[in-house]
Amino acid sequence: MKFLKLFPLLLLVLFGCSKKADNIKMTKIPVDIMGFSFEIPEEWNNSQDIIIVPVTKANGNSNFFEIAFYFMTDDAKNTRENLAKNNDLSIETLPQILEKSFNLAKFVIYENNSSTPEINKTEKWEELKKIGENDNFNIFFCKANNSNELAEQYKEKYNQYFSIFDKIKNSLETFDPKNPDQPQNTTNGLEGKIEFNANDLEGNAINSSELFKQNKLTMVNIWGTYCSPCIEEMPELIKLNTEYKDFAVVGIVIDGNNNEATVISMVEKLGINFTNIVPNSEINNKILQYVSAVPTTFFVNSEGLIVGEIIVGADIEGYKRNIENLLNQK
């Protein structure tokens, strides 16, 4: 099993089902392909300070996967905003943000047949400790060791975030991982009738029933500003939105509730001509908890019922095939 096969499917979901733990409402983050989950405070979904980065790295002849948490300084936030304005926010430019951010903690996931990972002391991390395993992977965790380098203006807020990580570590649950080499339904549970009330990027109230009944078919595209394939397919989605009669594209921008300025800037720069909805708890629970990667696209009829294929990944030809088949049905 290769981590590089897993990586595209893990650019991804930071939403899930919520519950309360010690008076903090937590959101479960499933990493189904690697067979584990963990929890973060629900309020982090709206935080402008936290950035969560999934990345594949190399260690000798083996690969390992990290999910790292960073605290963004004002310089880091400004860098992210400038990159977004220039339509240059991607995995390749992410280091420009991280070099102005501070480490918080990270999960490190190794395949069972790999050697025990070591943390480079210059990376300013504490000792890496194994906290769980399943049939395919060993899961390690460590916290940062760089608080003495923080500017005074950031210390209080950084320490508030840092204090949560023992709870996050202890929330780990493991299960049988999904096999990426086998066909699988990564959207299991996303079915039936879609109903929600939310706001678009302009703050307008959106009722799904009113939205969907405007057309025979609506294509719902779930995307994120950090997702290069999402951005690359936008010009084609813009065309699709005007190419077919009795049809519309609607976006759900997955980081719209904690990255609003960047999203609005990107929408304007790309000339996106369709409605984009900001996720709320209702959309998280009814839609996003069943989505394991972006872009994910599904189709609904005028009554809000899911029809046709659910497509994970950028697939313009797949979109067109579904649109034409579904619009031609009586």
Side-chain angles (χ1 to χ4, degrees):
M1 185 181 299
K2 298 294 183 183
F3 277 96
L4 294 180
K5 292 181 181 179
L6 304 178
F7 183 67
L9 291 175
L10 285 160
L11 281 177
L12 90 83
V13 167
L14 295 179
F15 302 92
C17 51
S18 300
K19 66 180 183 180
K20 290 205 171 188
D22 296 338
N23 298 320
I24 299 176
K25 196 170 185 180
M26 306 292 283
T27 296
K28 179 174 284 189
I29 310 300
V31 188
D32 290 341
I33 296 173
M34 291 182 178
F36 74 97
S37 66
F38 59 93
E39 297 173 2
I40 62 172
E42 187 179 71
E43 64 187 33
W44 287 14
N45 289 336
N46 300 308
S47 174
Q48 297 290 327
D49 302 313
I50 296 285
I51 183 170
I52 306 175
V53 180
V55 64
T56 301
K57 292 188 175 183
N59 179 38
N61 294 323
S62 62
N63 293 318
F64 64 97
F65 186 79
E66 288 186 357
I67 299 176
F69 301 76
Y70 293 85
F71 175 83
M72 290 198 297
T73 64
D74 292 339
D75 284 344
K77 295 174 188 177
N78 289 335
T79 298
R80 181 175 69 174
E81 185 172 350
N82 289 333
L83 288 169
K85 286 180 179 178
N86 294 322
N87 196 24
D88 196 25
L89 189 61
S90 67
I91 292 298
E92 288 72 25
T93 60
L94 187 60
Q96 297 178 39
I97 301 172
L98 299 184
E99 68 183 9
K100 298 174 182 178
S101 304
F102 284 93
N103 307 338
L104 280 164
K106 63 181 173 181
F107 291 95
V108 182
I109 304 95
Y110 266 71
E111 292 181 88
N112 287 346
N113 58 2
S114 299
S115 57
T116 302
E118 295 182 0
I119 289 294
N120 187 330
K121 298 301 182 184
T122 63
E123 291 188 36
K124 300 167 186 173
W125 296 99
E126 294 179 352
E127 181 183 358
L128 195 65
K129 296 182 179 179
K130 184 176 178 179
I131 61 170
E133 63 181 316
N134 55 40
D135 288 345
N136 293 343
F137 299 104
N138 293 309
I139 302 155
F140 297 79
F141 185 83
C142 68
K143 293 192 292 187
N145 187 21
N146 59 7
S147 58
N148 59 344
E149 297 185 8
L150 285 166
E152 193 65 35
Q153 70 192 90
Y154 298 121
K155 284 186 177 179
E156 182 178 358
K157 187 177 286 188
Y158 176 93
N159 289 331
Q160 288 175 352
Y161 288 113
F162 189 78
S163 66
I164 301 295
F165 279 97
D166 282 336
K167 183 185 297 292
I168 292 173
K169 178 184 71 174
N170 294 334
S171 72
L172 181 83
E173 295 180 357
T174 59
F175 45 86
D176 291 336
K178 293 181 178 179
N179 185 350
D181 296 321
Q182 298 295 327
Q184 57 182 297
N185 180 7
T186 59
T187 53
N188 186 33
L190 187 57
E191 57 189 11
K193 189 172 185 177
I194 299 297
E195 294 181 291
F196 59 82
N197 289 282
N199 292 332
D200 64 15
L201 285 174
E202 288 73 41
N204 301 310
I206 300 293
N207 175 272
S208 61
S209 297
E210 295 296 321
L211 179 67
F212 296 146
K213 76 179 184 180
Q214 294 175 22
N215 293 285
K216 180 178 180 180
L217 184 68
T218 300
M219 179 177 128
V220 181
N221 178 258
I222 302 169
W223 66 284
T225 60
Y226 55 85
C227 166
S228 295
C230 300
I231 304 306
E232 289 170 3
E233 72 172 359
M234 276 301 166
E236 294 296 329
L237 300 192
I238 292 168
K239 291 179 184 177
L240 291 178
N241 191 48
T242 57
E243 188 174 343
Y244 295 94
K245 183 180 179 182
D246 210 10
F247 168 82
V249 178
V250 169
I252 297 178
V253 55
I254 202 167
D255 54 336
N257 59 356
N258 62 355
N259 200 13
E260 186 174 352
T262 298
V263 174
I264 291 174
S265 173
M266 186 170 289
V267 166
E268 292 176 350
K269 185 177 181 67
L270 293 173
I272 295 175
N273 61 354
F274 51 83
T275 298
N276 276 278
I277 296 169
V278 178
N280 58 14
S281 58
E282 190 173 12
I283 288 179
N284 292 346
N285 293 332
K286 293 182 177 180
I287 299 175
L288 296 183
Q289 70 162 312
Y290 304 115
V291 175
S292 59
V294 290
T296 288
T297 300
F298 62 91
F299 302 86
V300 297
N301 64 17
S302 60
E303 296 178 354
L305 290 169
I306 292 180
V307 292
E309 299 176 65
I310 298 176
I311 299 175
V312 179
D315 183 3
I316 300 300
E317 293 306 313
Y319 304 156
K320 290 181 178 179
R321 180 180 64 250
N322 274 269
I323 293 167
E324 291 169 5
N325 288 342
L326 294 167
L327 286 177
N328 287 331
Q329 289 180 2
K330 293 183 178 181

